[in-house]
Coordinates of all heavy atoms in Angstrom, one line a residue:
L1 N 104.3 107.2 94.2 CA 103.2 108.1 93.8 C 103.8 109.5 93.5 O 104.4 110.1 94.4 CB 102.1 108.1 94.9 CG 101.0 109.1 94.6 CD1 100.2 108.7 93.4 CD2 100.1 109.1 95.9
V2 N 103.5 110.0 92.4 CA 103.9 111.4 92.0 C 102.8 112.1 91.3 O 101.9 111.4 90.8 CB 105.2 111.4 91.2 CG1 106.4 110.8 91.9 CG2 104.9 110.7 89.8
Q3 N 102.8 113.4 91.3 CA 101.9 114.2 90.6 C 102.3 114.3 89.1 O 103.5 114.2 88.8 CB 101.7 115.6 91.2 CG 101.1 115.6 92.5 CD 100.9 117.0 93.1 OE1 101.7 117.9 92.8 NE2 99.9 117.2 93.9
A4 N 101.3 114.5 88.2 CA 101.6 114.7 86.8 C 102.6 115.8 86.7 O 102.6 116.8 87.3 CB 100.3 115.0 86.1
G5 N 103.6 115.6 85.8 CA 104.7 116.5 85.6 C 105.9 116.3 86.4 O 106.9 116.8 86.2
G6 N 105.8 115.4 87.4 CA 106.9 115.1 88.3 C 107.8 114.0 87.7 O 107.7 113.6 86.6
S7 N 108.8 113.7 88.5 CA 109.8 112.8 88.1 C 110.1 111.6 89.1 O 109.8 111.8 90.3 CB 111.1 113.5 87.9 OG 111.0 114.5 86.9
L8 N 110.5 110.5 88.5 CA 110.9 109.4 89.3 C 112.1 108.8 88.7 O 112.3 108.8 87.4 CB 109.9 108.3 89.5 CG 108.7 108.6 90.4 CD1 107.7 107.5 90.3 CD2 109.1 108.7 91.9
R9 N 113.0 108.2 89.4 CA 114.1 107.4 88.9 C 114.0 105.9 89.4 O 114.1 105.7 90.6 CB 115.5 107.9 89.2 CG 116.6 107.2 88.5 CD 118.0 107.7 88.9 NE 118.4 107.2 90.2 CZ 119.6 107.2 90.6 NH1 120.6 107.7 89.8 NH2 119.9 106.8 91.8
L10 N 113.8 105.0 88.5 CA 113.8 103.6 88.8 C 115.1 103.0 88.7 O 115.9 103.4 87.8 CB 112.8 102.9 87.9 CG 111.4 103.4 87.8 CD1 110.6 102.4 86.9 CD2 110.7 103.5 89.2
S11 N 115.4 102.1 89.6 CA 116.7 101.4 89.6 C 116.4 99.9 89.6 O 115.4 99.4 90.1 CB 117.5 101.7 90.9 OG 117.9 103.1 90.9
C12 N 117.3 99.2 88.9 CA 117.2 97.7 88.9 C 118.6 97.2 89.1 O 119.5 97.4 88.3 CB 116.7 97.3 87.5 SG 116.7 95.5 87.3
A13 N 118.7 96.5 90.2 CA 120.0 95.9 90.6 C 120.0 94.4 90.3 O 119.1 93.7 90.7 CB 120.3 96.1 92.1
A14 N 121.0 94.0 89.6 CA 121.1 92.6 89.2 C 122.1 91.9 90.2 O 123.1 92.4 90.5 CB 121.6 92.4 87.8
S15 N 121.7 90.7 90.6 CA 122.6 89.9 91.4 C 122.6 88.5 90.9 O 121.8 88.1 90.1 CB 122.1 89.9 92.9 OG 120.8 89.4 93.0
G16 N 123.5 87.7 91.5 CA 123.7 86.3 91.0 C 124.7 86.3 89.9 O 125.6 87.1 89.9
R17 N 124.5 85.4 89.0 CA 125.4 85.3 87.9 C 125.1 86.4 86.8 O 124.2 86.2 86.0 CB 125.4 83.9 87.3 CG 126.5 83.7 86.2 CD 126.5 82.3 85.8 NE 127.5 82.0 84.8 CZ 127.8 80.8 84.2 NH1 127.0 79.8 84.5 NH2 128.8 80.7 83.4
T18 N 125.8 87.5 86.8 CA 125.6 88.6 85.9 C 126.7 88.7 84.9 O 127.8 88.3 85.1 CB 125.4 89.9 86.7 OG1 126.6 90.1 87.4 CG2 124.3 89.8 87.7
F19 N 126.3 89.3 83.8 CA 127.2 89.5 82.7 C 127.0 90.9 82.1 O 125.9 91.4 82.0 CB 126.9 88.5 81.6 CG 127.0 87.1 82.0 CD1 125.9 86.4 82.5 CD2 128.2 86.4 82.0 CE1 126.0 85.1 82.9 CE2 128.3 85.1 82.4 CZ 127.2 84.4 82.9
S20 N 128.1 91.5 81.7 CA 128.0 92.8 81.1 C 127.4 92.7 79.7 O 126.9 93.7 79.2 CB 129.4 93.5 81.0 OG 130.2 92.7 80.2
S21 N 127.3 91.5 79.2 CA 126.7 91.3 77.8 C 125.2 91.2 77.9 O 124.6 91.1 76.8 CB 127.3 90.1 77.2 OG 127.1 88.9 78.0
Y22 N 124.6 91.3 79.0 CA 123.2 91.3 79.1 C 122.6 92.6 78.6 O 123.0 93.7 79.0 CB 122.7 91.1 80.6 CG 122.6 89.7 81.1 CD1 123.7 88.9 81.0 CD2 121.5 89.3 81.7 CE1 123.7 87.6 81.5 CE2 121.4 88.0 82.2 CZ 122.5 87.1 82.1 OH 122.5 85.9 82.6
A23 N 121.7 92.5 77.7 CA 120.9 93.7 77.4 C 119.9 93.9 78.5 O 119.3 92.9 79.1 CB 120.1 93.5 76.1
M24 N 119.6 95.1 78.9 CA 118.6 95.3 80.0 C 117.6 96.4 79.6 O 117.9 97.2 78.7 CB 119.4 95.7 81.3 CG 120.3 94.6 81.8 SD 121.0 95.0 83.4 CE 119.6 94.8 84.4
G25 N 116.5 96.4 80.2 CA 115.5 97.3 79.9 C 114.3 97.3 80.8 O 114.3 96.6 81.9
W26 N 113.2 97.9 80.4 CA 112.0 98.1 81.2 C 110.8 97.8 80.4 O 110.7 98.2 79.2 CB 111.9 99.5 81.8 CG 113.1 99.8 82.7 CD1 114.3 100.3 82.4 CD2 113.1 99.6 84.2 NE1 115.1 100.5 83.5 CE2 114.3 100.0 84.6 CE3 112.1 99.1 85.1 CZ2 114.7 100.0 86.0 CZ3 112.5 99.1 86.4 CH2 113.7 99.5 86.9
F27 N 109.9 97.1 81.0 CA 108.5 96.9 80.5 C 107.6 97.5 81.5 O 107.9 97.7 82.7 CB 108.2 95.5 80.2 CG 109.0 94.9 79.0 CD1 110.4 94.7 79.1 CD2 108.3 94.6 77.8 CE1 111.1 94.1 78.0 CE2 109.0 94.0 76.7 CZ 110.4 93.8 76.8
R28 N 106.3 97.7 81.1 CA 105.3 98.1 82.1 C 104.0 97.5 81.7 O 103.7 97.1 80.6 CB 105.2 99.6 82.1 CG 104.7 100.3 80.8 CD 104.7 101.8 80.9 NE 104.2 102.4 79.7 CZ 104.3 103.7 79.5 NH1 104.8 104.5 80.4 NH2 103.8 104.2 78.4
Q29 N 103.1 97.4 82.7 CA 101.8 96.8 82.5 C 100.8 97.6 83.4 O 100.9 97.6 84.6 CB 101.8 95.3 82.9 CG 100.5 94.6 82.6 CD 100.5 93.1 82.7 OE1 101.4 92.6 83.4 NE2 99.7 92.4 82.0
A30 N 99.9 98.2 82.7 CA 98.8 98.9 83.4 C 97.6 97.9 83.5 O 97.5 97.0 82.8 CB 98.4 100.1 82.5
P31 N 96.7 98.2 84.5 CA 95.6 97.4 84.7 C 94.8 97.2 83.5 O 94.4 98.2 82.8 CB 94.8 98.1 85.8 CG 95.8 98.9 86.5 CD 96.8 99.3 85.5
G32 N 94.4 96.0 83.2 CA 93.6 95.7 82.0 C 94.3 95.7 80.7 O 93.7 95.6 79.6
K33 N 95.6 96.0 80.7 CA 96.4 96.1 79.4 C 97.5 95.1 79.4 O 97.9 94.5 80.4 CB 96.9 97.5 79.3 CG 95.9 98.6 79.1 CD 96.5 99.9 78.8 CE 95.5 101.0 78.6 NZ 96.1 102.3 78.2
E34 N 98.0 94.8 78.2 CA 99.1 93.9 78.0 C 100.4 94.6 78.5 O 100.5 95.8 78.4 CB 99.2 93.4 76.6 CG 98.0 92.6 76.1 CD 98.2 92.1 74.7 OE1 99.1 92.6 74.0 OE2 97.4 91.3 74.2
R35 N 101.4 93.7 78.8 CA 102.7 94.3 79.1 C 103.3 94.8 77.9 O 103.2 94.2 76.8 CB 103.6 93.2 79.7 CG 104.9 93.7 80.3 CD 105.6 92.6 81.0 NE 104.9 92.1 82.2 CZ 105.4 91.2 83.0 NH1 106.6 90.7 82.9 NH2 104.6 90.8 84.0
E36 N 103.9 96.0 78.0 CA 104.5 96.7 76.8 C 105.9 97.1 77.1 O 106.3 97.4 78.2 CB 103.7 97.9 76.4 CG 103.7 99.1 77.4 CD 103.2 100.4 76.9 OE1 103.0 100.5 75.6 OE2 102.9 101.3 77.7
F37 N 106.7 97.1 76.0 CA 108.0 97.5 76.1 C 108.1 99.0 76.3 O 107.3 99.8 75.8 CB 108.7 97.2 74.8 CG 110.1 97.8 74.6 CD1 111.2 97.4 75.3 CD2 110.2 98.9 73.8 CE1 112.4 98.0 75.1 CE2 111.4 99.6 73.6 CZ 112.5 99.1 74.3
V38 N 109.1 99.4 77.2 CA 109.3 100.8 77.4 C 110.6 101.3 77.0 O 110.7 102.3 76.2 CB 109.1 101.1 79.0 CG1 109.4 102.6 79.2 CG2 107.8 100.7 79.4
A39 N 111.7 100.7 77.4 CA 113.0 101.2 77.1 C 114.0 100.0 77.2 O 113.8 99.1 78.0 CB 113.5 102.3 78.0
A40 N 115.1 100.1 76.4 CA 116.1 99.1 76.5 C 117.5 99.7 76.2 O 117.6 100.7 75.6 CB 115.9 97.9 75.5
I41 N 118.5 99.0 76.7 CA 119.9 99.5 76.5 C 120.8 98.3 76.3 O 120.6 97.2 76.9 CB 120.4 100.3 77.7 CG1 121.8 100.9 77.5 CG2 120.4 99.5 79.0 CD1 122.2 101.9 78.5
S42 N 121.6 98.4 75.3 CA 122.5 97.3 74.9 C 123.6 97.1 76.0 O 123.7 97.9 76.9 CB 123.2 97.5 73.6 OG 124.0 98.7 73.7

């Protein structure tokens, strides 16, 4: 929980059989809305 104008850093750690060739990114879903794409990195 943060106030408007603030900052957060999300982290996502992968485990198991991982590959550097995986593209990774973030989606988000707000209540009552469809999941949407946010950001991706090759």
Side-chain angles (χ1 to χ4, degrees):
L1 173 65
V2 298
Q3 293 183 329
S7 298
L8 285 173
R9 189 182 73 162
L10 305 183
S11 298
C12 174
S15 62
R17 188 175 182 180
T18 59
F19 303 89
S20 62
S21 59
Y22 277 52
M24 298 187 71
W26 297 87
F27 290 71
R28 66 186 180 186
Q29 187 167 23
K33 296 186 177 181
E34 296 182 349
R35 188 172 298 186
E36 69 169 344
F37 166 77
V38 177
I41 185 167
S42 63

